[in-house]
């Protein structure tokens, strides 16, 4: 009798460690054994090191980069065996006391190269080891261990490094996280604890409103009839879903006029795809643009909508609104399909349906995604719709008709035409259908009517697209990271280490762009907030969310996150005792999705792939687990339910408020004014800038926008004076000062420009633009020695810039360093060729 409960208790306690173990072993195996994966696994006695380069947003062209590592060390004897072990990301040359060292061959850079005959190269007293590491896609990195009977020298932070001739610095351990604030120091200002303190008044008001709402709901609940299962009437649940949908619609209606057309991840490239379809009346090849590898459903439907509306340009203001409305409609459909899924998962638990739907509606990942022009909402809706239909087909009953399986195949095919991550759901559902047939021991006819029809219709629906891709590129799934599609490129961090996947906590300290240093932080920050600022890297131009309230939301989100963890343990315990098809399918979808999104950055280590919405197929399992966990946390006593609902509703409404844009606010108008001044309508820009400055005369973004507008209209002197006043009033100002330096240089005033470049570089030493500008002007006036200092600092941030190498080569040539000049001339040529 106690056997099943005991097994259930064991499962409950072991589920999380087992999940972590399995995923961890998968990551370790993929990183260690798969060729080409830039996974730096360490070894005893040394650590991977690299140049302490400045992280940068956007892409870096793949080009041969060389980092020189060096270390001075002393030996009091050299007798006995000496062994040198080296691993380099990706190739290296070693010199000991200026003598080349021959290393044994290896099949891949991940294997250790050994040199065992070094006694003749070492000497008593001071010694010097120097290693040049070459990498053509990512930052060069080194692991080295030199051992004698009495001494061990291992690569660590005491080594010095220089990347492509940049200034020498202490090496950075590869396990050390990148500092996201190097992208924009203002990112440091968005801290969850500070946001909680600064927005405490608003959060308290929200909590009070929730208390009033809960009291009113309690009174109303006593007056409405209750269903036979003890839940509220179905009409009440429908009204709740309608209210949530209305809240989304109101948010969209309010925010749409305050967003720039390019707001959202890769929004401009999505518009380019739609424009290609409009112009060519054909689908592009994957190698014809940044986002052209995406499956075509969103772009075909968007361009068809524009054609039916008589619009020929994707950048037409009406066209932009229609495409944004399409994303909103898909997001709303996704929400309603999640509700339908919850009804299948919890047919007899209305409270859990309410809780799950509430979490889904206020999930920040949903709130920021559905407002932008993107294929993500449509992909989410189609994938979730396929999963829900699959759960319906798999319900215990008589064999579903072939028409229902055909509908499932059509839904899966459509999901595959929206985004190929739907393949994860396709695999799980087809596997579930096959498992059902095996358990039932059905004959060939049943197999054909279920699995055959589903797979066949799915293949007919989407197979033409993937067959065309396979025919051209040799693989059905390609992306812009594939060298066969676009010229090779990479992004920071460019590699991963075991520590990247194990550390967590930065999301509660400096959450924005925390995915640069930690996988778990990046996923948490993009699930419970807009942790990548919808693709913007500077706060001045990020979407005008209430970032402090959003930051506070990372702490408030611990409530639904706790619900997810409690739900995971509870569901594991129940399924260990009595497995259910629905939960087994959800577990399968969650497992393959989590594995895919964890292994993916091992293969393609870019900060831009650390996004929670890449795991969108697992949203239904996520909110179902949250519903179970929150229901259990609420318990059966009134006070526990009240506290749980208070905490949950406060999180939900605070998140909703964080993404509510106050129309016409100075910061909103100033930001739009800057975009209009730089890329849009000057008349509209003037109106917005005037509005912002009329209510907030010291608004720095509005003043920079006014300078940009003057520059665009040909009033260069007026633009210079505008930025000069702003820089003078704000001594710490960097952006305006750098802009001022550029305008002065363009206006033929090099002495003033040099002064401003130097001041900008003093405020942000890691700015390639400021350091390069100062170096360029110093070189022009004959101060080659001083120019070299600035140009080497610039290379620390932009080592792949051929113009920087060309300028540095000229400066070195003028100082008589012909060998150094030749080296940088060679780099300039190779990097220039790679950029082309």
């Amino acid at each position: 009798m106690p056997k099943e409960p005991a097994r259930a208790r064991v499962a409950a306690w072991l589920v999380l460690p087992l999940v972590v173990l399995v995923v961890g072993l998968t990551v370790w195996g993929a990183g260690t054994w798969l060729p080409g994966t830039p996974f730096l696994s360490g070894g005893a006695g040394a650590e991977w090191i690299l140049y302490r380069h400045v992280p940068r947003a956007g892409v870096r062209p793949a080009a041969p980069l060389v980092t020189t590592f060096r270390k001075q060390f002393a030996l009091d004897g050299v007798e006995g065996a000496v062994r040198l072990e080296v691993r380099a990301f990706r190739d290296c040359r070693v010199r000991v006391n200026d003598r080349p060292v021959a290393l044994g061959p290896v099949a891949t850079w991940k294997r250790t190269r050994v040199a065992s005959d070094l006694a003749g190269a070492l000497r008593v007293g001071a010694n010097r080891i120097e290693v040049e590491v070459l990498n053509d896609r990512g930052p060069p990195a080194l692991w080295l261990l030199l051992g004698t009977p009495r001494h061990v020298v291992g690569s660590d932070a005491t080594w010095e490094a220089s990347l492509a001739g940049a200034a020498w610095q202490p090496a950075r351990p590869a396990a050390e996280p990148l500092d996201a604030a190097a992208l924009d120091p203002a990112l440091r200002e968005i801290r969850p604890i500070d946001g909680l303190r600064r927005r405490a008044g608003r959060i308290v008001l929200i909590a009070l409103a929730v208390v009033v709402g809960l009291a009113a709901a309690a009174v109303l609940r006593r007056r409405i009839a209750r269903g036979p299962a003890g839940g509220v009437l179905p009409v009440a649940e429908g009204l709740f879903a309608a209210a949530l949908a209305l809240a989304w619609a109101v948010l969209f209606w309010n925010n749409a006029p305050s967003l720039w057309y390019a707001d959202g991840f890769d929004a401009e490239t999505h518009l380019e795809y739609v424009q290609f379809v409009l112009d060519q009346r054909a689908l592009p090849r994957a190698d014809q643009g940044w986002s052209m590898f995406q499956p075509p459903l969103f772009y075909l439907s968007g361009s068809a909508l524009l054609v039916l509306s008589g619009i020929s340009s994707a950048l037409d203001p009406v066209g932009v609104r229609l495409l944004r409305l399409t994303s909103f409609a898909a997001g709303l459909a996704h929400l309603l399909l999640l509700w339908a899924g919850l009804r299948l998962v919890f047919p007899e638990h209305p409270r859990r349906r309410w809780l799950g739907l509430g979490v889904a509606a206020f999930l920040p990942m949903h709130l920021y995604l559905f407002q932008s022009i993107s294929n993500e909402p449509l992909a989410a809706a189609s994938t979730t719709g396929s999963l829900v239909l699959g759960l319906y087909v798999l319900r215990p009953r008589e064999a579903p008709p072939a028409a229902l399986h055909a509908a499932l195949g059509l839904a899966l095919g459509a999901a595959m035409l929206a985004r190929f991550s739907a393949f994860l759901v396709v695999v799980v559902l087809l596997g579930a259908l096959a498992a059902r047939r095996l358990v039932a021991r059905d004959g060939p006819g049943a197999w054909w009517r279920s699995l055959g029809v589903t797979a066949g219709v799915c293949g007919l629906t989407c197979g033409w697209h993937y067959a065309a891709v396979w025919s051209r590129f040799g693989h059905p799934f390609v992306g812009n990271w594939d060298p066969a599609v676009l010229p090779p490129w990479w992004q920071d961090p460019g590699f991963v280490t075991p520590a990247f996947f194990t550390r967590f906590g930065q999301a509660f300290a400096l959450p924005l762009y925390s995915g640069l240093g930690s996988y778990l932080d990046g996923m948490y920050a993009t699930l419970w907030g807009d942790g990548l600022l919808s693709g913007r890297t500077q706060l001045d131009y990020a979407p005008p969310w209430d970032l402090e309230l959003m930051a506070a939301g990372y702490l408030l989100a611990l409530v639904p996150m706790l619900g997810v963890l409690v739900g995971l343990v509870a569901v594991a315990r129940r399924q260990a005792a009595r497995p259910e098809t629905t939960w087994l399918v959800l577990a399968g979808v969650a497992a393959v999705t989590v594995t895919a999104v964890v292994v993916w950055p091992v293969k393609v280590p870019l900060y831009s792939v650390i996004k929670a919405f890449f795991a969108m197929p697992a949203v239904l399992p996520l909110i179902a687990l949250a519903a179970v966990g929150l229901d259990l946390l609420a318990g059966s006593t009134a006070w526990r339910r009240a506290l749980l609902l208070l905490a949950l509703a406060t999180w939900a409404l605070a998140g909703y408020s964080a993404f509510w844009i106050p129309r016409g606010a100075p910061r909103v108008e100033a930001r739009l004014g800057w975009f209009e001044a730089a890329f849009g309508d000057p008349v509209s820009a003037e109106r917005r800038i005037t509005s912002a400055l009329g209510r907030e005369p010291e608004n720095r973004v509005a003043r920079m926008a006014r300078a940009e507008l003057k520059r665009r209209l040909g009033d260069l002197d007026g633009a210079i004076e505008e930025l000069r006043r702003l820089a003078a009033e704000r001594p710490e100002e960097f952006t305006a000062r750098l802009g001022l330096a550029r305008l002065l240089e363009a206006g033929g005033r090099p002495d003033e420009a040099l002064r401003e470049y130097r001041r900008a570089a003093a405020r942000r030493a890691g700015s390639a633009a400021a350091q390069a500008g100062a170096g360029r002007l110093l070189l022009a006036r004959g101060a080659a020695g001083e120019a070299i200092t600035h140009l080497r600092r610039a290379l620390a941030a932009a080592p792949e810039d051929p113009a920087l190498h060309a300028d540095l080569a000229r400066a070195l040539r003028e100082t008589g360093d012909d060998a150094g000049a030749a080296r940088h001339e060679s780099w300039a040529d190779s990097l220039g060729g790679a950029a082309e």
Side-chain angles (χ1 to χ4, degrees):
M1 197 61 189
K3 192 171 183 180
E4 282 191 350
R7 184 177 66 180
R9 285 194 297 272
V10 170
W13 286 109
L14 291 182
V15 60
L16 281 177
L18 284 175
V19 168
V20 172
L21 179 62
V22 170
V23 174
L25 289 175
T26 303
V27 170
W28 184 269
T32 303
W33 301 109
L34 287 182
T37 53
F39 183 82
L40 307 184
S41 55
E47 56 187 328
W48 282 95
I49 57 174
L50 64 157
Y51 186 71
R52 196 174 292 274
H53 74 281
V54 180
R56 195 177 74 194
V59 303
R60 298 177 184 265
L65 294 175
V66 176
T67 296
T68 303
F69 299 92
R70 66 189 184 190
K71 170 76 173 178
Q72 301 278 353
F73 60 97
L75 297 177
D76 55 13
V78 293
E79 66 280 354
V82 179
R83 182 177 175 87
L84 176 67
E85 300 178 19
V86 180
R87 277 184 279 169
F89 180 48
R90 303 185 181 251
D91 195 10
C92 70
R93 292 188 296 270
V94 181
R95 298 177 69 87
V96 174
N97 294 324
D98 295 324
R99 290 179 55 178
V101 175
L103 298 173
V106 289
T108 170
W109 64 265
K110 295 187 176 187
R111 301 292 173 258
T112 302
R113 304 176 69 180
V114 177
S116 56
D117 186 16
L118 285 178
L122 297 173
R123 60 195 176 212
V124 175
N127 289 265
R128 180 172 181 268
I129 187 168
E130 183 175 282
V131 184
E132 285 189 347
V133 179
L134 171 68
N135 194 349
D136 61 355
R137 192 184 298 186
L142 171 70
W143 184 96
L144 182 145
L145 185 64
L146 173 65
T148 73
R150 290 190 293 175
H151 300 85
V152 174
V153 177
S155 51
D156 57 23
T158 63
W159 285 56
E160 288 186 305
S162 171
L163 171 60
W168 286 92
Q169 303 186 60
R172 176 174 74 88
E176 180 184 306
L178 286 171
D179 181 11
L183 302 175
D184 181 358
L187 295 176
R188 293 187 184 279
E189 300 172 8
I190 309 302
R191 302 169 59 90
I193 191 65
D194 293 339
L196 194 63
R197 184 179 67 252
R198 292 168 185 164
R199 292 291 185 266
R202 187 182 302 183
I203 294 172
V204 169
L205 287 176
I206 290 172
L208 291 175
V210 170
V211 170
V212 173
L214 290 176
V219 172
L220 183 62
R221 185 181 179 187
R222 296 190 188 98
R223 298 184 180 182
I224 61 175
R226 303 180 63 84
V232 297
L233 291 173
V235 67
E237 187 176 334
L239 290 174
F240 179 60
L244 295 177
L246 179 62
W248 272 36
V250 171
L251 184 66
F252 177 83
W253 170 82
N254 175 78
N255 287 1
S258 302
L259 291 171
W260 184 241
Y261 75 87
D263 282 331
F265 294 98
D266 296 327
E268 289 178 285
T269 62
H270 293 311
L271 289 169
E272 289 174 6
Y273 196 145
V274 172
Q275 190 62 54
F276 184 98
V277 176
L278 288 173
D279 293 340
Q280 305 297 324
R281 294 295 192 268
L283 292 174
R285 299 191 312 269
D287 55 2
Q288 289 184 292
W290 183 258
S291 290
M292 304 301 191
F293 72 95
Q294 299 280 7
L297 186 59
F298 169 75
Y299 310 97
L300 284 173
S301 57
S303 58
L305 179 62
L306 296 187
V307 169
L308 291 174
S309 304
I311 297 171
S312 59
S313 172
L315 293 180
D316 183 283
V318 176
V320 169
R321 286 195 290 271
L322 286 173
L323 291 172
R324 186 171 277 137
L325 186 61
T326 301
S327 291
F328 165 71
L332 188 58
H334 175 56
L335 179 64
L336 297 178
L337 287 165
L338 287 171
W339 178 38
L342 290 168
R343 293 180 67 83
L344 289 174
V345 178
F346 305 116
E348 298 178 358
H349 293 85
R351 186 165 73 178
R352 291 183 177 181
R353 297 198 298 265
W354 285 55
L355 288 169
L357 183 58
V359 171
F362 294 102
L363 193 65
M365 176 178 73
H366 287 157
L367 293 179
Y368 67 77
L369 264 185
F370 82 80
Q371 302 186 58
S372 62
I373 297 172
S374 171
N375 63 340
E376 294 288 352
L378 182 60
S382 57
T383 303
T384 297
S386 301
L387 179 56
V388 171
L389 185 54
L391 292 177
Y392 180 76
V393 169
L394 289 165
R395 289 195 307 174
R397 56 171 163 182
E398 294 296 322
L404 194 55
H405 284 286
L408 176 58
L410 182 64
L412 290 171
M416 288 288 292
L417 286 177
R419 193 172 176 91
F420 53 68
S421 58
F423 183 69
L424 302 172
V425 174
V426 172
V427 169
V428 173
L429 289 181
L430 292 183
L433 290 173
R436 169 164 287 191
R437 299 280 71 81
L438 286 171
V439 171
R441 298 182 179 180
D442 289 328
W447 280 83
W448 165 249
R449 285 191 301 272
S450 60
L451 189 64
V453 169
T454 303
V457 174
C458 175
L460 289 173
T461 304
C462 66
W464 59 271
H465 167 71
Y466 291 98
V469 174
W470 198 337
S471 173
R472 181 169 184 83
F473 298 103
H475 196 283
F477 304 126
V478 298
N480 53 22
W481 57 86
D482 191 330
V485 173
L486 291 179
W489 57 275
W490 61 283
Q491 275 184 340
D492 288 319
F495 63 91
V496 289
T497 65
F500 181 77
F501 293 100
T502 56
R503 58 173 162 251
F504 178 65
Q506 191 70 359
F508 302 116
L510 298 174
L512 300 184
Y513 279 84
S514 56
L516 272 170
S518 162
Y519 178 83
L520 293 174
D521 286 309
M523 296 297 281
Y524 188 94
T526 51
L527 178 65
W528 304 109
D530 189 3
L532 288 174
L533 298 176
S534 294
R536 305 283 182 188
T537 56
Q538 289 187 293
L539 286 188
D540 287 339
Y541 311 118
W545 319 133
D546 186 331
L547 294 179
E548 291 191 331
L549 190 56
M550 186 185 83
Y554 287 120
L555 296 174
L556 300 177
L558 288 171
V559 175
M561 191 70 237
L562 179 61
V564 172
L565 297 178
V566 171
L568 179 59
V569 175
V571 169
R573 179 177 180 177
R574 179 181 176 87
Q575 295 309 303
R578 294 189 302 277
E580 302 169 30
T581 300
T582 297
W583 278 108
L584 290 177
V585 171
L586 293 180
V589 170
V592 297
T593 302
V594 169
T595 302
V597 298
V598 174
V599 171
W600 186 235
V602 176
K603 179 176 175 57
V604 186
L606 320 172
Y607 74 81
S608 60
V609 306
I610 314 297
K611 295 171 181 168
F613 55 81
F614 280 3
M616 195 67 81
V619 167
L620 180 56
L622 176 78
I623 64 170
L625 291 175
V628 172
L630 292 169
D631 188 29
L632 293 174
L633 289 171
S636 57
T637 59
W639 68 269
R640 280 181 62 181
R641 287 198 301 269
L643 284 178
L644 187 280
L645 289 175
L646 174 61
L648 188 64
T650 301
W651 159 77
L653 294 179
Y656 185 86
S657 300
F659 292 102
W660 181 275
I661 301 174
R663 280 198 191 184
R667 67 186 180 92
V668 176
E669 292 295 289
R671 174 180 178 271
L672 289 176
W674 193 93
F675 285 128
E676 292 277 15
F679 312 110
D681 178 10
V683 175
S684 177
E686 178 64 33
R687 176 178 57 79
R688 292 186 184 279
I689 294 167
T690 301
S691 172
L693 292 175
R695 285 184 291 163
E696 199 173 279
E698 300 307 313
N699 187 293
R700 58 184 294 278
V701 176
R703 294 176 67 182
M704 287 192 292
R706 186 162 62 185
E708 176 61 23
L709 181 60
K710 290 179 178 179
R711 183 204 65 79
R712 183 177 172 188
L713 296 176
D715 184 7
L716 188 61
D717 290 338
I720 288 172
E721 289 309 309
E722 184 72 44
L723 292 180
R724 194 189 298 278
R725 286 194 298 271
L726 179 57
E729 294 167 13
R730 298 170 180 254
E732 77 288 352
E733 177 63 43
F734 169 79
T735 305
R737 197 173 296 279
L738 179 61
L740 173 60
R742 286 169 166 164
L743 291 181
L744 288 167
E745 185 179 9
R749 297 155 72 172
D751 292 341
E752 295 175 79
L754 175 59
R755 183 169 60 249
E756 297 304 331
Y757 275 129
R758 280 172 161 166
R759 289 173 175 173
R763 282 150 184 79
R764 195 175 299 179
S767 168
Q771 298 287 3
R776 184 171 58 246
L777 293 178
L778 285 165
L779 182 59
R781 67 194 298 180
E786 196 176 354
I788 289 171
T789 301
H790 285 283
L791 292 171
R792 289 195 188 280
R793 291 173 181 168
L795 282 173
E800 65 286 319
D801 186 345
L804 275 177
H805 287 283
D807 286 342
L808 183 53
R810 287 174 49 209
L812 291 169
R813 190 77 67 187
E814 290 188 15
T815 60
D817 185 357
D818 292 336
R823 187 165 59 251
H824 284 281
E825 286 167 351
S826 175
W827 278 330
D829 291 340
S830 62
L831 292 168
E836 293 172 4

